[in-house]
Amino acid sequence: MEGHFRDKARQLDRVDTLSGFRKRFYLPENKVYLDGNSLGLISRDAEESLLRVLDEWKTLGIRGWLEARRPWFYFAEQIGEMASGLVGAEKGELIFTGTTTVNIHSLISTFYRPAGRRTKILADELNFPSDIYALKGQIKQKGLDPEKELCLVPSSDGKTISEDRVVSMMTPEVALVYLPSVLYTSAQLLDMEYLSREARKRGIPVGFDCSHSAGAIPHSFSSWGVDFATFCSYKYLNGGPGCTAFLYINKKHFGTEPLMAGWFGCVKEKQFDMSLDFIHEESAGGWQISSPGILGASTMEGSLNIMLEAGIENIRSKSLRLTAFLREMLNSLPGLSGEGFYIATPEEDHRRGGHIALCHPGEGLRINEALKARGFVPDFREPDTIRIAPVALYNTFGEVFSLAVALKEIMEKREYLNYEKRRRPIS
Ligand SMILES: *Cc1c(COP(=O)(O)O)cnc(C)c1O
């Protein structure tokens, strides 16, 4: 059985048309890195664009705002435009700005307009904590009570959310729907097109946090009728720790006023008029707040070049093959069945994102520690989930095979018993 999978991995790597991209990344030495859903790796291309911007600062000083190769004053707009094809944004709908949670605050402050009976925000109980904190804060900002106004769609299995259940909760009291594209724990991919259509039918604006899908999965925000979205760029987009995020506004909302206003949201030709009247750019750019952190943002140019060269459809297709291969091994390698594992990630291609959530009630944490001790880099999320993200641009089928074999040996030898049941601040 193991031999069969080894051969299969070799064969899959041989015919992999994206294999050439691996050597453009810095891979941590002697590690099998499978944590690109948390922090993607740096590519030589990203390093190059960062070094170029550093150099421009040295040589141009203030003139870099207009005279750098990619002028800093237009950097956010241009990178937004470069990334548009990855998410199906039309001209002006995508801007490279802020950070995920700040963007959520800004977007919710714009799109959450409780009035009359419509006062509730509909989200889900498996949502990322930061998103929920922001929603609660925004409800309080409006002088309302989050206990009453935040409705969380319950999960029946603690791992996934039923889209039909979400739709059944889109009642006339709901003022806004805000959901993740891919759940950060189980990697369930929600049907954003269906949810957007159903919300639109009911006259409810809908927004998505696509931090766990951007760079791994193609999106069609504009044709799906998504009203707004945001996503970070340090996961599958490989922008680096805390890199600038993206913000999407459907063009039908360009005239709406951004309430967390700042001077970088001004009509660009007027920004330096220094008028005290805020006339915002009628594009996603109007939602910018501050001077963009060009150094931290600069990696994105190189990173996007790689993504565009590879093609998001090809990236998705390889990612699906990687996770399907991993699932197949986890399900059929002798030594793993009967050990108490289960896979929380939905099996169908159209329902899963870029990682596999391998759950082990009781010993998940220590099994993850044992994998780390053997040189693998997955991660662990409470209460029982080991997340394994083989990334299309830099991981191989051989690596996925080696992880499955290591896991089997860890279970056979009970290696996890050597570790403490104690979680470090980041695991
Ligand atoms: C990664 C992630 C975040 C992170 O928020 P930051 O503000 O970038 O720290 C938020 N929400 C979701 C769904 C995420 O996956």
Side-chain angles (χ1 to χ4, degrees), residues 42 45-55 295-296 298-299:
I42 181 170
D45 305 57
E47 179 185 46
E48 249 169 55
S49 56
L50 167 69
L51 292 175
R52 189 194 77 221
V53 171
L54 260 182
D55 199 54
L295 285 182
S298 60
T299 45

Side-chain angles (χ1 to χ4, degrees), residues 99-101 128 130-131 184 209 211-212 232 234-235:
T99 56
T100 322
T101 309
F128 197 85
S130 199
D131 298 47
Y184 77 101
D209 185 325
S211 296
H212 265 83
C232 74
Y234 48 79
K235 293 168 182 164

Side-chain angles (χ1 to χ4, degrees), residues 6 43 59 83 88 132 140 154 164 179 201 250 255 272 277 326-327 340-341 374 383 386 394 409 417:
R6 179 178 289 112
S43 59
T59 54
I132 296 293
K140 288 186 193 172
D164 286 327
L179 295 163
K201 274 189 206 161
N250 191 298
F272 278 83
D277 297 319
L326 175 57
R327 175 191 295 272
F341 287 109
R374 280 175 171 251
I386 300 167
Y394 51 77
E409 290 175 5
L417 296 175

Side-chain angles (χ1 to χ4, degrees), residues 13 71-72 80 83 88 97 99 101 103 128 211 219 240-241 282 297-298 312 319 326 364 386 400 404 414 422:
D13 278 324
W72 305 339
T97 192
T99 56
T101 309
N103 288 348
F128 197 85
S211 296
H219 306 62
E282 300 225 343
S298 60
I312 189 68
S319 159
L326 175 57
I386 300 167
V400 170
R414 295 282 175 264
R422 193 162 49 90

Side-chain angles (χ1 to χ4, degrees), residues 27-42:
L27 300 157
E29 240 173 276
N30 303 320
K31 299 279 179 208
V32 174
Y33 195 82
L34 295 164
D35 206 14
N37 60 320
S38 209
L39 180 65
L41 295 178
I42 181 170

